[in-house]
Amino acid sequence: MAGTLSTGQGAPAAAVSRPQLELAVENADGVRLAAAVGAARVELCAALAETEGITPSIGMTEQACRVGLPVHVLVRPRPGDFAYSSEELDVIERDVAAALAAGAAGVVVGVLRADGGPDITALHRFVEAARQSNPTAEITFHRAFDAALAAGIDPADALARLQRAGVHRVLTSGGSPDCAAGLGMLGRLVELGRTHAPSVQIMAGGGVTLELVPSLLGIGVHAVHTSARQRSNGHSGAGRAPAADPALAAQLAGALTTGGLEP
């Protein structure tokens, strides 16, 4: 695999030797590709191209989990912002439990308070629902974290909130449109995490390219998240996201394993 890390809550995130690779996928074929290149896990979502990801169906979740690689299910009831109504929070809580009951190893969630920062109260609900379904389930806070940074929330405080809520990792581009632009903040988050959230992994995601891997390794991120899709002006079909590129996925996995150097 792309890295070795103890993921139990309370284990230092700095225990990683090489960053783990997480692939964003939409179906079992994507999970099989991730397994073939040695990814540590997948994030399973639906409608990636149209919405940047929403909750997949239970049928798709069950099918993806049968492949055998750890599946972390995105639980996001709708596109748009991350301030949810009480009814939407109920849906998220129920979908967290349902995803884990369907075989998922973890869930990916994100909710913000009125001040723009992570909502600890809601996160506690989701963590508790997850643990009741699977005591070893992992919780990832998704790129709602970037919206929090863009709103001016202090990054140390935002990380500390995730630590208190029991979150295992945060997916972020450093508050920028992509990781290249957010590289400086990503490095700062790694440093801040050592003091304010030592058990929260920093997972870089958003516009990750092969050329960027050495820089991500240099700042010490714990994981790298990508859909491994080649940038193209073409279309793969109406309403369909282009499939992950097996060659690119393998190259990214290899770069993380070899330190960004050619094997």
Side-chain angles (χ1 to χ4, degrees):
M1 290 187 178
T4 301
L5 181 66
S6 173
T7 55
Q9 187 66 15
V16 73
S17 57
R18 287 290 182 194
Q20 295 179 322
L21 177 63
E22 176 181 285
L23 285 189
V25 306
E26 295 185 88
N27 51 43
D29 283 342
V31 185
R32 283 186 278 269
L33 170 60
V37 302
R41 62 185 167 269
V42 300
E43 178 193 71
L44 181 70
C45 59
L48 187 58
E50 306 93 323
T51 67
E52 298 185 338
I54 55 175
T55 310
S57 73
I58 290 299
M60 184 62 74
T61 299
E62 291 174 342
Q63 190 176 79
C65 290
R66 284 197 291 268
V67 175
L69 194 69
V71 172
H72 291 208
V73 174
L74 176 65
V75 180
R76 183 184 180 211
R78 57 163 173 78
D81 65 29
F82 307 105
Y84 295 112
S85 68
S86 60
E87 289 185 340
E88 287 174 324
L89 292 175
D90 287 341
V91 168
I92 294 172
E93 184 177 3
R94 291 170 66 87
D95 281 346
V96 163
L100 292 167
V107 291
V108 183
V109 297
V111 58
L112 302 179
R113 288 175 41 176
D115 69 356
D119 187 333
I120 293 180
T121 302
L123 286 172
H124 273 304
R125 284 179 61 182
F126 306 154
V127 170
E128 183 59 27
R131 288 177 177 164
Q132 287 183 5
S133 292
N134 178 358
T136 65
E138 296 183 7
I139 312 297
T140 299
F141 193 91
H142 58 51
R143 289 186 65 191
F145 192 84
D146 292 323
L149 294 180
I153 294 297
D154 176 63
D157 176 60
L159 286 172
R161 293 190 197 187
L162 300 187
Q163 171 91 12
R164 294 197 299 273
V167 169
H168 294 82
R169 70 180 57 83
V170 56
L171 172 62
T172 175
S173 60
S176 296
D178 57 45
C179 288
L183 194 63
M185 176 57 78
L186 282 168
R188 186 181 174 201
L189 290 171
V190 172
E191 292 294 327
L192 289 171
R194 294 186 179 121
T195 301
H196 299 278
S199 66
V200 177
Q201 303 166 30
I202 306 300
M203 179 162 62
V208 172
T209 64
L210 191 60
E211 295 74 20
L212 191 60
V213 169
S215 296
L216 294 174
L217 289 169
I219 61 174
V221 299
H222 307 107
V224 172
H225 169 101
T226 177
S227 61
R229 292 179 166 96
Q230 294 282 7
R231 296 183 180 182
S232 171
N233 293 325
H235 298 281
S236 62
R240 298 184 65 184
D245 183 320
L248 178 57
Q251 287 175 319
L252 286 165
L256 289 173
T257 300
T258 62
L261 303 175
E262 290 294 326

